[in-house]
Amino acid sequence: MKDQITPLKDSDGNNMLHLVGKYAPKNRLQDVTGVAFQMQRELLWFKEVERMIPPSYRERKNTAGLTPRELFTKNHKDLVSKGEDWMKGTANQSMVVAALIATIVFGVAFAIPGGYDQNTGYPMFMKKEIFIAFVISDAISLIFSAASSSCSYPF
């Protein structure tokens, strides 16, 4: 069936891949949340159809002189810029959350559960296994939250 559909063209000289390169209707993208995921869906659909058609059809130009990839790029510029803004906003929110976690974990590291022994200055539960597990998990969470807050804004 695909061999019969693939060579067809519309009145503008668009083959099947050109038509996929056009922007999808809004109702098709509404079930996907986030502009970046919408762009991903569009790109995956384009690549799937591209894989299906013969290589010679991928470089054919329509009456406007555009290849399917050029048409896709032209029609999706707005979605790409919206996706970049969405990703930046998401990265900013993640950075704020990571900074809050790092702040809390840093404070917990100095407010040891059980307090300190007044005579020696060592933590009261220092010899308990659960206290050692607490210290290790606190250190790990501090390292990961600090690393993620410094790496969450790659733009």
Side-chain angles (χ1 to χ4, degrees):
M1 182 79 163
K2 78 172 174 109
D3 294 334
Q4 295 173 352
I5 296 172
T6 304
L8 297 177
K9 292 182 180 179
D10 69 358
S11 60
D12 294 326
N14 294 318
N15 63 25
M16 187 166 60
L17 195 55
H18 280 99
L19 296 175
V20 172
K22 292 185 175 183
Y23 192 70
K26 291 199 183 276
N27 62 352
R28 284 208 43 213
L29 295 175
Q30 285 178 345
D31 61 336
V32 180
T33 57
V35 184
F37 295 125
Q38 291 174 355
M39 182 64 189
Q40 179 189 26
R41 176 179 267 190
E42 287 282 294
L43 189 58
L44 287 174
W45 176 239
F46 184 83
K47 287 186 176 194
E48 184 65 30
V49 173
E50 187 179 43
R51 224 180 6 243
M52 230 170 54
I53 66 169
S56 63
Y57 286 86
R58 296 176 192 160
E59 297 304 319
R60 287 199 179 161
K61 295 186 178 191
N62 60 10
T63 55
L66 297 172
T67 64
R69 183 152 308 266
E70 291 169 343
L71 184 66
F72 181 87
T73 304
K74 178 185 169 194
N75 289 336
H76 290 83
K77 279 184 180 179
D78 186 45
L79 196 60
V80 169
S81 66
K82 285 181 183 176
E84 287 174 358
D85 293 340
W86 182 78
M87 291 295 281
K88 286 179 184 178
T90 303
N92 279 336
Q93 292 171 0
S94 299
M95 189 170 64
V96 168
V97 169
L100 287 172
I101 291 171
T103 303
I104 291 168
V105 170
F106 186 74
V108 169
F110 290 104
I112 303 280
Y116 296 95
D117 185 353
Q118 296 296 321
N119 297 326
T120 62
Y122 293 117
M124 297 289 279
F125 299 127
M126 191 166 93
K127 305 227 185 221
K128 305 267 185 186
E129 286 130 14
I130 193 76
F131 178 74
I132 294 169
F134 166 78
V135 170
I136 292 171
S137 64
D138 190 55
I140 290 171
S141 63
L142 178 63
I143 290 167
F144 282 148
S145 61
S148 68
S149 67
S150 66
C151 296
S152 66
Y153 193 69
F155 305 108

